[in-house]
Each structure stands twice: as C-alpha cells, then as structure tokens.
Amino acid sequence: MSMGEYFNFILTRTESMYNTVQLEGHGSFWLVFFIGIFFGAIIQYSRIDKFEKIAGFAMGKDTIVPKILFLAIGITSIALYFEIQMGYASYHIKPIMLQGLILGGIIFGIGMAIIGKCPGTGPISIAEGRIDVLFGAFGGILGGWLFTKYYDDFFKPLMGNNYGKATLMSVSGDYATLFVFVFGIALILIAILIPKMELPDDDGPSLEHDEKVKAGNR
Amino acid sequence: MSLLLLFTFSTFGADRPIGASTYVPYYAGILFGMNPEDYTYLREIEKAGAWEGVMLLGVFVGGLITSIFITKSFRFSVLPDAWKRYKNSSVKSRLIWSFFSGFLLITGARLAGGCTSGHFLSGMSQTAFSSMIFGGVVLVTLLITGKLFYNTRGSK
C-alpha cells in the first residue's frame, strides 16, 4: 500500500466509523460522543484514572477504586432492574467463554497492576499529558493488531467453549427480584465497609480528601 | 457514574452497555491498514468497535477539557509518583513496562471479551456470571501482581 492509498484507507474507515454509529440505532454520533465526554469528565474529576489509584490498590495501599466500583455496580444493578422492568432498557449479557475469561482475566490483571490503568482510563491519562500511558497505548494497539491478525488460528480456539449467558437473575427464577436486591445491597455494603485508604502523590489526595483538609484548616 | 450507565443502557440513550476495549483492535485495524473483509475479527467488531471508537474520542476530549479547566492537572509527565517510590526512577524502565503491560491489558481484555467498563461496570450490574468470573480472576491477579511487582515493604 502506498502512502496515498494508506491515507485514503484511513479516511474511508473513519467515515465508515461515523456512518456505522449513525445508522446502527444505538444513539447518534453526537450522543455517543457526549456519553464519552461525560465518562471522561467524571473519571478525570474523581481522579480514579491515576496510576496511584489502580496500582495502589494492587499494592494494597489504596482502596478508592474498589469502593467506587462496587458502589456504582450496586446502585446500577438495582436501578437497571427497574429500568428494564419498565421496558426502558434491555439486558446485554456477555457469554461465559470460561477459558477466555480466566486466561484473559489473568493477563488483564497483570497488565493492569503494572500500567495502573484500564483501557477506559488510559485515554484520559493520555489527555492529561502522561507520556508513559501513551507508550502503553502503543503496546495496546500492537496487542489489538496481533489479536485481529491471529484471531481465527490462535485466539478464538483459546477462548474455549461458550457456556451460555446465565446471570444471577436468570437462574433464580421467581426470586429474581429478591436476588437482585440482595446482590445490589451487598455490593453497596461492601463498598461502604472496605476501609478507606489513599496512597498520596505529588498532586495530593483525591478531591474529596482535599476538601476535608481545607475544611479542617479553616 | 451510575446515572451515566443507566442512561446509556436506556432506550433514551444508546440502548447498549458501555465498553472500552473493543475500540483498540478497531483502531489498530485502521492504523495498520487492515481490510475488514480479510479479517473475521474486524467483521465481528465492526459495529461495537465503531461505537466505542466514537465514545472514546469523547472520553479523550472530556478528559482533556476537565484536566485543563477543572482539575488543572494537565502537565506532561512520564513517571508516576508511586512508581518512583515503589519501583524505580528509570524513565526507560517505566516506558518499556508501560508498553508491555498495555499489550497485556488489551490482549487480556479481548480474550475475555471485556474490560473494567464492559465486564465490571456494565456486566456485573446485569448480574452476569461471565463478568463475575472475570472480576474475580482480575481481582486476585491484580493483588498478587501488585505484591510481587512493586517493592511495598520497607520504603514508605
């Protein structure tokens, strides 16, 4: 492929990205873009994209990430249940590819502990000017390329059998409502009960802590 | 956070869960000039990849705006503070490890079919067993790696 052809290819693909989203019926281009902006802004504002937050959790020195995650999942699981009951949403379950989940989980966990980011917070850190994470993105792109290239021959067989899309709700039958509540409330409780620990860095602790310190100084 | 997830799921929003790792192979396909017709995987992720590709552009812009105007944390940096404290002060070491772990992160996420957003946030909110298995494995590996990789004893 010549330089000009390559450039054309990128343009065509970018245009097709726009069209795919626009025509897919999962929100217009701008809606999806704004969901992204809010996602980025919330995470940047809460500062959970910091290396110290995820790597700190891996070291057992920072518990902000699990607290926020469990709280968000707990609340969402209950609220989503109602949203779906009222017909305003539907479930989108990922299948249980047991081997892929376990292997992927291990590889993902190791990577996450070292880089201190997840694929969602990475771009936010890059936007903040973190060069090291940009290198992580190069690695990620390489990973994505290899995965795509050897998907049929290597990666797909590695993911193993599909054991269906069971959920806590689908196996609990008549008790589904009860189970969702127990699940949601249990997660919220876990989030509250995890002791709060923060790993300090040059920027100082998270905003919430910052405000407490300011309040204390007054 | 929850509100945004609920909105995205709802029919008012996008009627689909949030995900943030399919976009990487999607972008890789674009950057490496791979024709979707030649690769099964690119065909499979054509829609999800485009959706996340657009969302992640938004995430980048959202992060940029917030870091410049609200949290005022924008600055070019290479070494995170905790890396200096618990690992080493070598820029080269951080960049190489970043590259390597970024590679692991995406390969792992693609094998499992999701990442923190797709499995943890969106998947577990739907009480999916697949996401709980992934979550459990990641949690354990994360903590073990953290203990082994960083020098957490002694220095404070």
Side-chain angles (χ1 to χ4, degrees):
Chain A
M1 206 186 292
S2 76
M3 208 55 203
E5 275 168 352
Y6 178 67
F7 195 69
N8 263 333
F9 177 82
I10 290 190
L11 276 183
T12 327
R13 291 293 289 152
T14 311
E15 197 191 334
S16 112
M17 175 165 91
Y18 175 85
N19 288 333
T20 311
V21 172
Q22 198 74 355
L23 299 174
E24 197 195 358
H26 284 310
S28 70
F29 176 85
W30 289 110
L31 180 80
V32 178
F33 190 68
F34 278 115
I35 290 176
I37 289 192
F38 275 107
F39 193 71
I42 291 172
I43 291 178
Q44 168 64 231
Y45 187 73
S46 62
R47 309 301 296 121
I48 45 172
D49 66 305
K50 274 190 203 167
F51 174 80
E52 283 75 14
K53 296 296 139 204
I54 291 180
F57 173 48
M59 295 180 221
K61 290 181 185 295
D62 196 304
T63 54
I64 301 301
V65 171
K67 277 176 92 77
I68 292 184
L69 267 182
F70 283 135
L71 187 65
I73 299 167
I75 297 171
T76 315
S77 61
I78 295 176
L80 185 67
Y81 178 74
F82 283 109
E83 204 173 85
I84 290 173
Q85 290 297 310
M86 290 186 285
Y88 292 129
S90 52
Y91 282 108
H92 303 267
I93 308 290
K94 289 177 191 292
I96 307 175
M97 312 279 282
L98 200 55
Q99 219 172 301
L101 283 172
I102 294 174
L103 275 174
I106 292 173
I107 299 174
F108 187 82
I110 296 173
M112 192 158 153
I114 297 177
I115 196 170
K117 312 280 162 187
C118 76
T121 63
I124 302 167
S125 297
I126 300 172
E128 198 188 65
R130 302 207 178 253
I131 309 296
D132 51 332
V133 186
L134 185 64
F135 273 69
F138 295 151
I141 295 272
L142 179 71
W145 175 64
L146 285 175
F147 190 85
T148 308
K149 202 167 162 63
Y150 299 108
Y151 180 67
D152 293 321
D153 304 327
F154 183 69
F155 288 104
K156 192 156 190 193
L158 203 61
M159 286 158 86
N161 292 329
N162 185 341
Y163 293 96
K165 297 185 171 187
T167 69
L168 185 61
M169 223 173 297
S170 68
V171 295
S172 50
D174 292 344
Y175 298 102
T177 316
L178 180 72
F179 269 72
V180 172
F181 270 96
V182 172
F183 178 77
I185 291 169
L187 282 177
I188 295 172
L189 279 179
I190 291 173
I192 296 170
L193 290 177
I194 296 175
K196 189 169 177 179
M197 292 194 280
E198 284 205 72
L199 187 63
D201 58 83
D202 287 352
D203 290 345
S206 66
L207 280 171
E208 195 190 325
H209 186 269
D210 239 24
E211 273 152 23
K212 266 189 214 144
V213 172
K214 273 184 213 152
N217 288 343
R218 252 173 237 147
Chain B
M1 195 74 178
S2 287
L3 284 178
L4 183 72
L5 275 173
L6 289 172
F7 176 74
T8 311
F9 261 109
S10 78
T11 42
F12 309 115
D15 193 17
R16 60 155 286 163
I18 283 186
S21 58
T22 315
Y23 74 98
V24 183
Y26 186 78
Y27 280 167
I30 296 182
L31 287 174
F32 282 97
M34 297 164 109
N35 196 328
E37 274 146 39
D38 302 335
Y39 298 95
T40 330
Y41 192 62
L42 280 182
R43 277 200 302 277
E44 279 183 25
I45 62 166
E46 180 67 33
K47 284 185 173 163
W51 195 92
E52 292 184 10
V54 172
M55 193 195 93
L56 260 295
L57 287 179
V59 168
F60 186 82
V61 174
L64 190 66
I65 296 173
T66 316
S67 71
I68 293 176
F69 297 109
I70 301 175
T71 58
K72 301 203 166 48
S73 57
F74 184 89
R75 66 194 154 93
F76 287 105
S77 65
V78 180
L79 283 178
D81 299 318
W83 182 277
K84 272 185 262 179
R85 219 168 321 140
Y86 298 109
K87 190 68 187 171
N88 56 44
S89 311
S90 156
V91 170
K92 210 167 103 189
S93 151
R94 172 62 182 160
L95 291 184
I96 292 171
W97 277 113
S98 280
F99 184 84
F100 179 63
S101 56
F103 176 79
L104 291 181
L105 201 61
I106 297 305
T107 313
R110 288 300 83 219
L111 268 176
C115 64
T116 322
S117 316
H119 263 313
F120 270 84
L121 285 174
S122 302
M124 278 174 72
S125 296
Q126 306 177 71
T127 71
F129 284 124
S130 56
S131 302
M132 292 181 207
I133 298 169
F134 179 73
V137 175
V138 169
L139 209 63
V140 172
T141 336
L142 185 75
L143 292 172
I144 294 175
T145 316
K147 279 273 171 280
L148 296 178
F149 186 76
Y150 299 102
N151 175 25
T152 50
R153 267 162 297 161
S155 61
K156 236 199 161 194

